[in-house]
Structures are given as C-alpha cells and as structure tokens.
Amino acid sequence: MATAGGGSGADPGSRGLLRLSFCVLLAGLCRGNSVERKIYIPLNKTAPCVRLLNATHQIGCQSSISGDTGVIHVVEKVEDLHWVLTDGPNPPYMVLLEGKLFTRDLMEKLKGRTSRIAGLAVSLSKPSPASGFSPGVQCPNDGFGVYSNSYGPEFAHCREIQWNSLGSGLAYEDFSFPIFLLEDENETKVIKQCYQDHNLSQNGSAPTFPLCAMQLFSHMHAVISTATCMRRSSIQNTFSINPEIVCDPLSDYNVWSMLKPINTSGTLKPGDRVVVAATRLDSRSFFWNVAPGAESAVASFVTQLAAAEALQKAPDVTTLPRNVMFVFFQGETFDYIGSSRMVYDMEKGKFPVQLENIDSFVELGQVALRTSLELWMHTDPVSQKNESVRNQVEDLLATLQKSGAGIPAVVLRRPNQSQPLPPSSLQRFLRARNISGVVLADHSTAFHNKYYQSIYDTAENINVSYPEWLSPEEDLNFVTDTAKALADVATVLGRALYELAGGTNFSDTVQADPQTVTRLLYGFLVRANNSWFQSILRQDLRSYLGDGPLQHYIAVSSPTNTTYVVQYALANLTGKVINLTREQCQDPSKVPNENKDFITLMVGFGILIFSLIVTYCINAKADVLFIVPREPGAVSY
C-alpha cells in the first residue's frame, strides 16, 4: 500500500503542514485585542496524519477544505465512546483519545460513524504500551521484495513468517476525517481542562452552551491513486496560467561511499570486485514526520557508521584486493524506494558500480534488541539452489562466524536454512541478480521490536538512558550499555568486511569505538543539536538539527535532516585527518604556507632566466636559423 516513486497527498498539503492551524475554541477565556485571540488557542506541538498514494490506492487522513470543527469529548476508556457514537446530543464530536486506546478495533468503530466524528486528537501514551503498538502491516513491503508466485512462491506474502506479528495495518487504512498527534503534555492538559470546564455532562444530561470545541486543518487535494493525481497535475501544468500542485513524489537521496577512491564519472571494470555493506536510513509512523525509528533504523545505521570508521583505520586498507561500498538506503519503508533506485541505476549504467561487480552483500537489519547475545544470519534459500551461489554464501557465513569468534559478546547463529529473508534491501538486489548475501538481525523469526514503524520506537525502546544528574554535554559522551553492545556488532561487521575485501594481516586491529556509537545514538535519538553534530556540519546546515531527536521520515522535501547528518558523519568518521583549523579547511586561502610563496617566486624567476637564454641563443644564430632566400637565377632546360 505504500508509495514507491508515486505521490503523497499534497497541495498546500504535505509541504506546509507545519504551518496549518490547530486550535481549541474557548468561550472567552483568553485575553486579547482581537476576537480570534480571545476564542482560539493555537497548539504548536502537533503532527498530522497525511494522505499517501500508490499506483492503486490512497491511505491516510485529511480534513475538509476549510477544516473540521467539533465539540470536544475526552475518551479515556472504551465506554466513553457511547456518548460520541450514540448518546451525545451535539455531534459531530472532536475526540481526544488516550494513546493506549489508539487501536485498529476502536478506529474501525469511528470509521463506521463518520457523521458523528469531526476528527481525532491522540495523546501520547506514557509509558509506551506494554503490549506493543505497530500501525504497520504484518508483512512489510509485501509484493515489492524478491518473493513472488514465480520466485519462492511458498514464501510470498509472508506465508511462512509474519515478520511484524504485532502489525495492525492501521497506517495503511484510509480515513475521511483528520487525525492529529498531541506531542506536548501541557497542551493536552489545556484541552482536557477546557473539556472539564464546559463539556462534562452532569448525571448523563447534556452540557449547556457555550461548549469547548476543536478545529483541525489538514486538507489535501490528492485522491484515488498516484496515476490519477499525476494526471491531474499534468492537466494543471498544461492549461492553467497558475498551475496548482496536486501531489508531490516522495524523494530523497541514498548516502554511499567507497573504502578506496574510485572514478565516479565512469563505471568499474567487469573484473573489479566490491563488497557491499548496506542498511536503511528511514522509518515511519502513523503521523507525518514523527518517526524516531530507534530499533527499525537508527541502531543499524549507527552500527554501520561505526564499522566504517573502524575499517578505515586498518593499516593496509588501501591495498586490499577488493573494495568496500557502504550504502545507507533512504526510503526503504515505502516499497524499497532507495534500493530500487540504485538497482535501476546499476542496470542502466548510471552508477559507478554495476551489479556484476558485487562480490557479496552484507546488510544490517534490526540489531539493538539481541537476546542471549545472539545475532542471526539470514540468507535466501531460493538463490542457493544454485550451487555456485550456495558455496559463496557458505564462505560468507564462515567469514562472519570467524570474525565474531573473538567477540564473546556477539554469538552468530544461523536460522533454519529453509527460512526466507526478512524484509530487506537485499531482496531488491536479488530480484535483479543472484548474489551471495546475508542480513544480520537480532531476531530469528518475527521482529523483537514491539513498536515497529511506531511513534514509540524511541531511545527507551532500545534501552538508551542516562543518569539524571548528568548535563547534556556529559550525556553526549556517556557510554551506555546499548552503545557497547552495538559497538561489538560493529566490530564483527568491520572485521568481516576486512576479510571479505581480501585482508589477512590486520583483522584484529579493526575495533569499533563505543564512544562514537554513544555520540551517534545521543545525537539521532535524544538531542541532535549537540556540540559534536555542530562540529561536523557546515554552519548553514546547523539549523536542521533542532532541539530534540531527529526524525527519520522520508517526505516530499529532500534531503531530510537525517540524510544530511549521516552524510557528514560518514565523511567525518572515514575522512583523512589533516592539521588545519575549521576556517582554513573551509577557505584554503587562509592556510599559511611560506614555502608555497617561495616556490612560486623561484619558478617564476627560473622561467624568466630560461626565456632570456633562449632569446639570446636565437638572436646569436639568427643568420643560420633564418636564411634569406637568394634571388632566382636563369632557368635552363
């Protein structure tokens, strides 16, 4: 149901959602000079559910073109719904729903009575629901991976394993009324107080006017499907003087780098071999741009960044027989957008590395919730029916196990050999070519992550916490147990990549730094605007950091904050250290270099002397070099 290169619902929509009004209508409780300021209280910390499209369907939410207004009713237990759905005399109602009640069953009840529902505001559940909450589907990216009726039909549509067993599919439903998340507890308290003061019924009787109401704006023009929306946009562009954008594509950039430099203007030779280390950058939730993705994305790409740093420090890294490409795919949540684009570019010769250059493929899935120290190595049983591929996969797994042998905190395991791959970018590559690949994950079958693609997949979900007495700067450098565990995984990955690239002598020197891991986790999950992130970003990009954690939601504006920060973090961790200040690095003219001035002077003086000597010699031999032709004499025959 997700959009793959299609459109998201927009118009003034998905680009301007943060500017939309979200207000509580009060009965003269505020002081102000205008009527609007007297009756409206704007709520600033909110996130809307937005409309998304794919080739055949629309999902998500939207309001009417002028917004939707309804009398507030607080629902703290299921029984409170009776007033909203049947008993209440003043419909339509704007429901303020406790986060723990935000389930598919309850939402189905609301969908069935849309004439009495104006909209929904959902408060955050604190602590996170103990039983778990995942609005994603049980079979993520179903239909876009490698398994189909023609390739491993017994594994198609997750017939063997429902990977996201807690998935309710709520985020893939279509709602005709607006739904917003209330991110600020204080704003939630304001709404509840207004409800208690004006709307709370006494002894089952109807409350008297004036009533407290809420107004939600999240209108979007996109409807039906991507094809329909793009056609309407095309008509607008063709016949309208001032065309109106009806929908925008989901877009961003993959981040990649090579262990050894290559010429990016061409393509590698067929004999050049590359080991691919891959992971994803993005996640999602039911609400726009609220995608903490701690377990589903952040832990894995932080681990890969740490592995890249460790591998770069190997003494013989520049002489390894094979190269290593680190790839961070963006948009994998929606039908493998990032990996699909890379495969397409490889097939069309638009990317320096071709599919036939890939020697092996190692992908990090969800790795932060390991139990009993186990890290599972998932492979594809269908491609291994080819004996050559099977032998290559066996060599790959043996290398991984050898690399993990020196790390007692990581125990590598093989799941059942007849088990399919979990949702992964490797599946998209296998659709194009049989390659030896493995997906490393903390789960053998279904995900351990109870909050997959959820607003609750936060730092707390992967046990990242800090002592209360530490300052923010001390938190940044405090090495958590999770950071130590992920650093161990990064060390295993780094050593495996070293050996897969042909290294033999310095595998034990590849060691991931827990300090790097803990800084990355803090920056991406707790506070992006910290001293380390500020030090690695250009000054004009620091505004992207914000005050809280970064969100990893791919949208219509690109690059996202995550893409920028990962790009600069990768460059910082794998780049060559030089003895220059920041100002000198950004402006080479400020680099003091007396020898370079001196060299320029001497070269200029040498050229002058050489030109004088050449001029003298030519002038002295002019009678020889430039002979004047004689007068022609008589011609005889």
Side-chain angles (χ1 to χ4, degrees):
M1 289 294 297
T3 305
S8 72
D11 189 54
S14 58
R15 286 190 186 276
L17 283 171
L18 296 180
R19 299 194 298 269
L20 300 179
S21 302
F22 177 72
C23 309
V24 179
L25 180 61
L26 299 175
L29 296 182
C30 300
R31 295 181 180 179
N33 296 325
S34 67
V35 174
E36 180 181 357
R37 293 180 63 183
K38 287 182 178 180
I39 64 176
Y40 283 96
I41 296 178
L43 302 177
N44 301 312
K45 290 285 290 182
T46 63
C49 163
V50 299
R51 173 162 288 173
L52 298 169
L53 309 173
N54 71 357
T56 56
H57 292 79
Q58 66 182 33
I59 60 174
C61 323
Q62 74 157 0
S63 72
S64 60
I65 194 167
S66 57
D68 293 293
T69 304
V71 176
I72 296 174
H73 190 77
V74 176
V75 175
E76 296 179 328
K77 54 185 182 297
V78 176
E79 291 74 19
D80 295 337
L81 277 180
H82 294 310
W83 185 265
V84 174
L85 300 179
T86 56
D87 300 339
N90 301 304
Y93 285 96
M94 193 66 70
V95 177
L96 174 56
L97 186 68
E98 288 292 319
K100 62 184 179 182
L101 298 178
F102 187 49
T103 63
R104 186 184 181 104
D105 290 341
L106 187 141
M107 293 304 295
E108 290 292 344
K109 294 178 181 178
L110 297 183
K111 281 184 70 173
R113 299 298 299 275
T114 54
S115 62
R116 295 184 61 87
I117 303 296
L120 189 68
V122 182
S123 64
L124 275 173
S125 179
K126 292 187 177 181
S128 301
S131 59
F133 173 75
S134 174
V137 293
Q138 293 185 341
C139 188
N141 284 344
D142 184 22
F144 294 90
V146 69
Y147 302 115
S148 64
N149 293 333
S150 59
Y151 187 99
E154 66 273 25
F155 306 131
H157 312 299
C158 297
R159 290 191 178 104
E160 182 168 310
I161 300 174
Q162 295 293 324
W163 294 102
N164 184 29
S165 58
L166 293 178
S168 66
L170 190 60
Y172 293 84
E173 292 292 322
D174 184 36
F175 296 93
S176 59
F177 49 82
I179 304 176
F180 277 68
L181 174 68
L182 302 176
E183 300 181 80
D184 191 327
E185 286 186 78
N186 293 326
E187 293 181 342
T188 302
K189 290 177 181 178
V190 169
I191 302 174
K192 288 185 175 181
Q193 188 61 53
C194 184
Y195 163 78
Q196 293 169 359
D197 293 342
H198 297 275
N199 297 6
L200 195 60
S201 61
Q202 301 296 330
N203 300 321
S205 61
T208 59
F209 285 88
L211 300 176
C212 184
M214 185 182 294
Q215 191 172 30
L216 302 179
F217 294 88
S218 61
H219 180 69
M220 298 186 173
H221 287 231
V223 292
I224 303 177
S225 67
T226 296
T228 301
C229 189
M230 293 179 68
R231 184 173 66 249
R232 290 178 177 177
S233 293
S234 178
I235 294 173
Q236 288 266 357
N237 291 332
T238 303
F239 298 104
S240 176
I241 297 177
N242 296 309
E244 187 176 39
I245 298 175
V246 181
C247 57
D248 292 305
L250 297 174
S251 61
D252 209 304
Y253 298 89
N254 295 324
V255 177
W256 63 277
S257 74
M258 304 297 293
L259 184 63
K260 297 187 292 184
I262 62 171
N263 181 10
T264 58
S265 62
T267 58
L268 296 181
K269 298 177 181 178
D272 293 336
R273 309 301 290 167
V274 174
V275 179
V276 177
T279 190
R280 66 171 57 189
L281 288 178
D282 63 303
S283 183
R284 71 164 299 197
S285 75
F286 187 87
F287 301 99
W288 180 80
N289 205 32
V290 182
E295 161 74 339
S296 61
V298 175
S300 57
F301 71 67
V302 162
T303 301
Q304 181 155 301
L305 285 169
E309 179 191 35
L311 182 57
Q312 190 70 44
K313 294 178 180 179
D316 59 343
V317 68
T318 59
T319 60
L320 295 176
R322 289 177 284 278
N323 211 336
V324 178
M325 180 170 71
F326 293 97
V327 187
F328 301 80
F329 291 117
Q330 183 64 276
E332 295 300 271
T333 299
F334 294 105
D335 307 343
Y336 303 122
I337 293 177
S339 55
S340 295
R341 181 53 192 256
M342 180 169 283
V343 169
Y344 174 84
D345 287 344
M346 286 180 171
E347 291 177 326
K348 300 298 182 181
K350 298 179 179 180
F351 192 77
V353 179
Q354 305 297 292
L355 288 170
E356 55 266 26
N357 295 128
I358 297 178
D359 183 79
S360 53
F361 194 108
V362 182
E363 180 173 355
L364 284 181
Q366 300 179 84
V367 293
L369 296 177
R370 290 185 292 135
T371 57
S372 302
L373 309 179
E374 293 175 328
L375 188 65
W376 296 88
M377 302 181 293
H378 297 267
T379 59
D380 171 44
V382 180
S383 61
Q384 292 183 70
K385 293 178 181 178
N386 180 298
E387 184 178 358
S388 174
V389 174
R390 182 172 67 253
N391 292 335
Q392 292 173 20
V393 170
E394 285 297 322
D395 290 343
L396 173 58
L397 298 182
T399 300
L400 280 164
Q401 289 183 309
K402 177 184 175 183
S403 301
I407 312 295
V410 181
V411 179
L412 287 117
R413 301 286 192 205
R414 300 189 187 192
N416 191 314
Q417 289 189 345
S418 62
Q419 183 174 300
L421 282 170
S424 55
S425 305
L426 175 58
Q427 288 203 33
R428 186 59 188 85
F429 279 78
L430 286 172
R431 285 179 58 180
R433 184 182 179 89
N434 272 356
I435 57 177
S436 62
V438 62
V439 177
L440 301 177
D442 56 24
H443 54 90
S444 60
T445 54
F447 298 159
H448 289 168
N449 188 2
K450 298 190 296 182
Y451 308 109
Y452 183 74
Q453 294 184 356
S454 162
I455 55 178
Y456 302 112
D457 189 10
T458 59
E460 290 77 13
N461 184 35
I462 61 172
N463 304 311
V464 172
S465 60
Y466 304 89
E468 295 181 357
W469 59 85
L470 296 182
S471 67
E473 191 64 24
E474 290 171 328
D475 284 344
L476 171 65
N477 296 294
F478 179 79
V479 180
T480 64
D481 290 340
T482 300
K484 295 175 184 176
L486 292 179
D488 288 334
V489 176
T491 298
V492 172
L493 175 62
R495 292 181 179 181
L497 294 174
Y498 175 80
E499 296 195 13
L500 290 170
T504 56
N505 299 323
F506 300 99
S507 179
D508 291 342
T509 66
V510 178
Q511 184 75 40
D513 186 358
Q515 188 76 49
T516 296
V517 177
T518 208
R519 286 181 170 184
L520 289 167
L521 289 175
Y522 180 81
F524 285 110
L525 294 177
V526 181
R527 187 169 179 264
N529 194 12
N530 61 72
S531 59
W532 190 55
F533 274 11
Q534 288 175 353
S535 70
I536 64 176
L537 284 179
R538 292 200 322 255
Q539 188 169 358
D540 59 310
L541 296 178
R542 293 176 189 170
S543 60
Y544 287 95
L545 295 177
D547 294 327
L550 289 176
Q551 301 299 327
H552 314 291
Y553 190 108
I554 182 174
V556 296
S557 57
S558 63
T560 61
N561 302 359
T562 301
T563 304
Y564 273 126
V565 178
V566 168
Q567 177 186 1
Y568 278 83
L570 181 61
N572 180 269
L573 295 173
T574 61
K576 182 180 179 181
V577 178
I578 54 177
N579 188 25
L580 296 176
T581 66
R582 176 185 298 276
E583 291 74 18
Q584 293 167 348
C585 187
Q586 294 175 345
D587 186 359
S589 65
K590 295 182 179 180
V591 179
N593 195 333
E594 295 180 1
N595 291 334
K596 181 180 176 181
D597 296 342
F598 180 74
I599 292 174
T600 303
L601 177 63
M602 295 305 296
V603 169
F605 183 74
I607 293 174
L608 174 63
I609 296 299
F610 178 74
S611 62
L612 290 175
I613 294 174
V614 171
T615 303
Y616 172 79
C617 292
I618 292 176
N619 185 62
K621 300 294 182 178
D623 57 333
V624 177
L625 296 173
F626 308 104
I627 300 175
V628 179
R630 294 175 296 178
E631 289 293 329
V635 179
S636 60
Y637 295 93

